[in-house]
Amino acid sequence: MSFVPHTDPERAAMLKGIGVSSIEDLFSDIPEHLRIEGLALPGAVSEIEAIDEVETLADRNVQTKDMDWFLGAGAYYGYIPAVVPALAGRGEFLTAYTPYQPEVSQGTLQAIFEYQSMTAKLLGMSVVNASHYDGATALAEAVLMAWKAKEGRNRIFLPKDLHPEYSQVIATYCTSFDIEFIRYEGDPAQAPIDERTAAIIIAYPGFSGEMYPISKASEKAHEKGALCIVQADPLMCAIFKSPGEQGADIVTAEGQCLGNPLNFGGPYLGMMGTTDALIRRMPGRIVGQTKDKFGKRGFVLTLSTREQHIRREKAVSNICSNQGLSMLQTCIYLATLGKNGLQEVAKQSYDKAHYAAQLIDIIPGYHVVPKLFFREFLVETPDSATKIVEALNKKSIMPGLALSHYYPERANELLICVTEMNTKAQIEKLASALKEAVK
Amino acid sequence: MAIDKNARYLESHEYAKPEGELMVIGISDHAQAELGDVVFVELPNVGKELDKGVVFGTIESVKAASDLYMPISGKVVEVNEEVKNDPSLVNKDCYGSGWLIKVAPTKLSEFESLLDAESYGTSIGEV
Amino acid sequence: MNAMNMRDEPLVYELSREGRIGCSLPRSDVPSKEIPLEIARSELDLPELDELTVVRHFTRLSQKNFSIDTEFYPLGSCTMKYNPKANEVVASNPGWKNLHPLVGEEYAQGAIELLWRLQEGLREVGGFAAASLQPAAGAHGELSGVLMIHAALKERGETKRKKMLIPDSAHGTNPASCTMAGFTTQTIPSGLDGGVDMEALRAALDDTIAGIMITNPNTLGLFEKNIEDICRLVHEAGGFVYGDGANMNALTGVFKPGRSGIDVMHFNLHKTFSTPHGGGGPGAGMVAANETLAPYLPGPIAVKADSVYRLEMPAKSIGRVKAFHGNFGVLVRAYCYLLMTGSDGLRQVAENAVLNANYLKSLLEKVYPVPYKRHCMHEFVAKGAIADTVHTLDIAKRLIDYGFHPPTIYFPLIVQEALMIEPTETESKETLDLFAEAMKRIAEEASKNPELLHDAPHIAPVARLDEVMAARYPILCYRG
């Protein structure tokens, strides 16, 4: 099934119109010895067979609902209201292109503008772009943005307590440039930044769940002439002070937790916001409000001279697409939950995580590490965390991430995440299973 | 297209025009017309020393961005703040209120080597 | 088209009424915990809407869009072909949606097997040794590919090779990707036949070149006839050849780029493999390489050993280009499409994409000049220069009134007043005939009544918008 509508007579008429006798003639520019006979792939199958085959594969995976789920580590199991996929899946959104022709793309453009508006308030920034591939690439682009903005400075301070995959993506993105990365531990306000520092990155919260207020660190950065980049949990910003309120110059975030499914890691939503001063250095698409000749409000892609299709090698980034549908899901999610709903999701996650931490911290041998956290916290375990995970999996509990997944030497550490999806009963079951696992 | 006879030009359309001890730098009428509605100009800070030929800023329309090249070496003594706030001044009055920066020239002899109004006119195909 | 929602639609903030909520949670069953005052948020300015208002709002917004599902969308270089609904059905399966990226591999065998099958299928389509599904978009694939070249050159100690050659017809992402990988770029002009000017290429080859980025068919819709010679010359000069697969829809099952000498290449799965464009994304950009560059692929990639599937970093990988495993949900759709089309279907895709483009070209070229007199591949470039006072933009906007999405305009940059038209294989003959008819009528209007074009579109939710004001005085979020 190639979804081609032509019948044989139509095809013949078209060839006649072109003035050739066969389709092969149209390929005459391809050197004959390079044309292939066929591909070593199976032949076409029907829709029934294709769906069956893909669903058979899907059935072989373990889903969040199969267990009591406490695994996060950068990808979060949250509730997605039914309206979100129902509306985002409409064909008019799904099968439209990038809104380069604004008159017939007002739906997509207004949705982006609304996303920009809501997330700018959430993160406390003047402007948020129409999105990056994910939180990790958004942060890597923010590093390059800051480095280029601070000409002559080549130091970037990076927290040790940052999602390891984010650190890896930053390393890949910066491989060709003379940037010195300095890893710091603990409170970012204590990091020894200096006049050679282009920026300090603050994880809000860190990978371990630990968070620090940002204001002092951002003040210090500004005193030294450096920029303050914050990698934030956007849901946390619903109840904790926003990075913008605390002096951040660039904020990046992973927006998956705002209405996007886990999907084995993608597509997710790279959020990036900045201040008025840095707008023209920010990569990514931006939508602006304007008017048509009758004075009617409308929306257009704007500040495009930053981008590759105009500035080519001098563009601020090579990024071309955005995560349009993921962004739309988040836009609808935020509109649906609104101010009270989002704060409720965040507060329930916070309350439940703290209830869990309190129960776990009193189990002999277990110790909750972070002092101030949102919904995820690192726990020191009395035995190998991998073994504990395996034991609890047998009881249909996914207790979190054994840190040895990323750091083989950190065998006795478990990262536990609690969201609004977890019930009190699940949390209590988790705590007693953790206790039993090391008897 | 208007060509200010008191100014001298680069082929890339920047002009330098003497004003007392200083040189006023901007872009030509031809350049602003080619660019269309100017929406943004980025200019250097006062105090910056720039050699002839280096990029001192950018000027943008909706669909294009051009680097601005120094027609003459000098130290920036004044930046047109009004044009930053209202870039349309470049379109309305490029030789007057739409000027970009003023510099104290460090190699005044460079001025003589720039295109005079007539040669610049020829270079843009106007006789 | 006539169903398009012409009414003003307020912003979510303007629809907000204090106290409303669109979705409620179960009551919390755990004790409330205080948030330390010094870091607690005092206010959150988000709208408050009820569920029905949300539904109507976004439904109305959607009706202000043109889309493939509603209109013919012949955007050159974008491959706006039909996105099969079966892809959406399989992608929404809870076995994917509720699969966490960090579960043990034993819990994700179905997902890793899908990655492996798609990876191997695409590798075969391209004729390469190995492939990675990590890149999230075409440009992301380009960045990965040029970083692979960068890494290979570094390992050889050839650090002075800093220059990438780029034909003047290339997409802007090519030079931008080079900058991000620390390369400089040099533009190679096109020759009279629309292909790379071979003399200019020879002159540019020296021991400072890292390689060339080549799009085949190029953005003029023309097959690069000298592709083998280009690859050979660049290789002899010590450089690598990057293949931009944006236009692979013209070639599936007909030509394998890997066999022509391309070292590394990306495919845009949202173009050739028909995953939806989503109003701008998410895309997916597989990157594949020959034996020499395969060890540098971004990872992890899927491997199969004794019917067990694992994720592994290639030996000399450039590393991760994003967190987790690519835009997985997009990959599920692409795999479903690959299954449904199969080897025979993929060839039909290319054949009919090329047939449709040539047919449409034959209908239009008497009215709209086509600068290169060759058979085109999946798309062609014509000129909008049909009347003195009319520009390509005016033609594009007038097409909206006829119910068609405009083609890509003013690109490639080397053709003045360019109209770049890609009909794709999924459009019927009658749609192409109707489009050609509209284009011819517009050409008549252009000479008789140009104002009709200048003021177009007349039937759209908004008239032409003031982009100058938008850029001069940016309003980038709601100011209530």
Side-chain angles (χ1 to χ4, degrees), chain A residues 9-20:
Chain A
E10 283 170 339
R11 208 174 271 121
M14 291 166 79
L15 287 169
K16 196 176 165 203
I18 299 166
V20 294

Side-chain angles (χ1 to χ4, degrees), chain C residues 216-394:
Chain C
N216 192 15
N218 64 19
T219 61
L220 295 164
L222 302 172
F223 189 85
E224 201 61 72
K225 285 190 269 193
N226 297 318
I227 184 68
E228 279 184 300
D229 286 340
I230 293 169
C231 294
R232 185 176 47 78
L233 289 169
V234 171
H235 287 152
E236 282 171 6
F240 289 98
V241 181
Y242 184 89
D244 180 328
N247 296 337
M248 192 62 201
N249 204 50
L251 298 175
T252 52
V254 175
F255 166 87
K256 287 185 177 182
R259 285 203 192 158
S260 65
I262 305 276
D263 297 297
V264 52
M265 179 166 188
H266 82 263
F267 289 175
N268 305 68
L269 302 190
H270 45 289
K271 296 181 183 174
T272 310
F273 294 88
S274 204
T275 70
H277 284 77
M286 173 223 71
V287 59
N290 61 10
E291 296 286 351
T292 313
L293 288 181
Y296 301 93
L297 283 167
I301 64 173
V303 293
K304 180 186 182 184
D306 302 331
S307 69
V308 173
Y309 297 88
R310 285 183 300 109
L311 290 166
E312 221 174 68
M313 269 324 221
K316 300 172 183 174
S317 176
I318 57 162
R320 283 191 171 277
V321 292
K322 72 180 284 301
F324 309 125
H325 318 301
N327 272 344
F328 185 81
V330 179
L331 304 175
V332 173
R333 293 172 170 94
Y335 181 62
C336 186
Y337 180 76
L338 184 67
L339 282 176
M340 287 192 289
T341 46
S343 55
D344 38 342
L346 284 175
R347 189 179 173 98
Q348 288 162 18
V349 164
E351 286 182 349
N352 290 283
V354 171
L355 174 69
N356 277 4
N358 279 285
Y359 177 66
L360 192 53
K361 178 162 80 84
S362 73
L363 297 179
L364 290 178
E365 62 193 344
K366 287 196 188 75
V367 184
Y368 292 87
V370 173
Y372 298 96
K373 306 284 175 219
R374 291 164 58 183
H375 290 315
C376 65
M377 301 302 283
H378 64 303
E379 67 190 2
F380 64 98
V381 175
K383 288 182 168 190
I386 47 168
D388 286 346
T389 60
V390 162
H391 292 283
T392 290
L393 183 71
D394 304 317

Side-chain angles (χ1 to χ4, degrees), chain A residues 146-155 178 195-198:
Chain A
W147 176 66
K148 284 186 273 186
K150 292 288 171 184
E151 213 180 323
R153 294 171 173 235
N154 73 334
R155 287 191 169 166
D178 180 26
E195 271 75 17
R196 280 181 289 172
T197 305

Side-chain angles (χ1 to χ4, degrees), chain A residues 113-194:
Chain A
F113 185 80
E114 291 179 351
Y115 163 84
Q116 287 176 186
S117 301
M118 290 187 282
T119 54
K121 308 257 187 202
L122 182 63
L123 301 174
M125 305 309 286
S126 305
V127 57
V128 170
N129 70 18
S131 74
H132 287 259
Y133 308 131
D134 68 359
T137 59
L139 181 57
E141 291 249 31
V143 168
L144 288 173
M145 174 181 160
W147 176 66
K148 284 186 273 186
K150 292 288 171 184
E151 213 180 323
R153 294 171 173 235
N154 73 334
R155 287 191 169 166
I156 302 277
F157 277 77
L158 203 60
K160 280 191 180 161
D161 192 18
L162 178 68
H163 196 298
E165 298 201 14
Y166 286 44
S167 300
Q168 291 167 24
V169 173
I170 292 171
T172 307
Y173 267 64
C174 297
T175 185
S176 305
F177 305 110
D178 180 26
I179 301 176
E180 183 190 355
F181 287 101
I182 300 171
R183 304 298 293 246
Y184 71 92
E185 230 166 330
D187 186 351
Q190 304 301 321
I193 57 170
D194 57 18

Side-chain angles (χ1 to χ4, degrees), chain A residues 2 6 33 40 53 60 90 94 96 101 103 108 117 121-122 165 172 176 237 264 290 296 313 350 424, chain C residues 29 34 41 62 65-66 99 113 117 124 179 181 228 254 278-279 320 324 348 356 397 461 466 478:
Chain A
S2 52
H6 303 324
H33 67 280
E53 184 169 339
R60 288 172 52 204
R90 287 184 62 89
L94 195 68
Q101 295 289 342
E103 298 86 352
T108 295
S117 301
K121 308 257 187 202
L122 182 63
E165 298 201 14
T172 307
S176 305
C237 297
F264 201 47
T290 187
K296 191 171 177 185
E313 73 277 4
Y350 177 76
K424 185 165 180 255
Chain C
D29 52 2
E34 286 286 300
R41 182 162 193 146
S62 77
N65 272 1
F66 268 19
L99 177 61
E113 181 172 348
R117 288 199 204 169
E124 165 64 15
T179 302
E228 279 184 300
V254 175
R320 283 191 171 277
F324 309 125
Q348 288 162 18
N356 277 4
K397 299 302 184 193
D466 188 345
Y478 173 68

Side-chain angles (χ1 to χ4, degrees), chain A residues 233-437:
Chain A
D233 179 333
L235 180 61
M236 189 175 93
C237 297
I239 52 172
F240 283 84
K241 274 188 183 166
S242 71
E245 198 181 344
Q246 300 178 75
D249 298 292
I250 308 171
V251 179
T252 61
E254 175 50 71
Q256 176 269 328
C257 62
L258 304 177
N260 281 286
L262 287 165
N263 255 335
F264 201 47
Y268 284 2
L269 178 68
M271 304 169 75
M272 185 191 282
T274 193
T275 58
D276 284 328
L278 290 169
I279 286 178
R280 289 176 193 267
R281 294 184 174 275
M282 180 166 68
R285 252 173 227 154
I286 300 174
V287 169
Q289 180 184 312
T290 187
K291 287 181 178 149
D292 74 5
K293 61 179 176 184
F294 303 112
K296 191 171 177 185
R297 178 170 67 187
F299 302 91
V300 292
L301 292 173
T302 193
L303 307 183
S304 306
T305 47
R306 300 163 299 119
E307 296 182 78
Q308 49 75 30
H309 61 281
I310 291 178
R311 198 71 75 94
R312 298 177 80 84
E313 73 277 4
K314 288 180 184 162
V316 294
S317 165
N318 73 338
I319 196 163
C320 178
S321 62
N322 70 339
Q323 298 286 101
L325 290 173
S326 312
M327 182 225 69
L328 181 63
Q329 294 239 143
T330 291
C331 181
I332 300 168
Y333 177 87
L334 290 173
T336 304
L337 285 168
K339 172 173 132 178
N340 298 317
L342 194 73
Q343 288 193 322
E344 178 69 14
V345 171
K347 187 61 169 50
Q348 283 206 18
S349 304
Y350 177 76
D351 289 343
K352 288 175 175 179
H354 283 76
Y355 182 64
Q358 184 198 329
L359 294 184
I360 293 165
D361 202 38
I362 55 172
I363 308 171
Y366 286 89
H367 169 61
V368 172
V369 179
K371 289 178 279 299
L372 184 62
F373 60 91
F374 171 47
R375 63 173 159 180
E376 191 156 31
F377 50 94
L378 191 66
V379 174
E380 288 170 358
T381 54
D383 196 357
S384 149
T386 315
K387 278 189 196 160
I388 293 171
V389 170
E390 281 168 12
L392 269 66
N393 283 174
K394 290 193 183 114
K395 296 179 176 175
S396 294
I397 302 171
M398 180 57 80
L401 181 77
L403 233 62
S404 56
H405 177 80
Y406 291 119
Y407 306 100
E409 72 284 3
R410 295 172 73 173
N412 289 16
E413 293 174 65
L414 179 66
L415 185 64
I416 297 175
C417 174
V418 188
T419 72
E420 82 279 10
M421 300 300 274
N422 299 111
T423 61
K424 185 165 180 255
Q426 286 180 348
I427 293 166
E428 286 166 358
K429 190 173 148 200
L430 167 72
S432 53
L434 286 172
K435 192 171 175 184
E436 282 162 26

Side-chain angles (χ1 to χ4, degrees), chain B residues 15 24-26 41-44 46 76-87 89-90 93-102:
Chain B
Y15 70 77
V24 183
I25 292 172
V41 287
E42 187 176 29
L43 299 172
V46 169
V76 181
V77 295
E78 200 181 336
V79 171
N80 190 349
E81 293 298 331
E82 268 180 54
V83 89
K84 279 171 133 180
N85 296 329
D86 181 8
L89 291 176
V90 177
D93 188 12
C94 63
Y95 300 112
S97 60
W99 62 276
L100 300 175
I101 57 172
K102 293 183 185 177

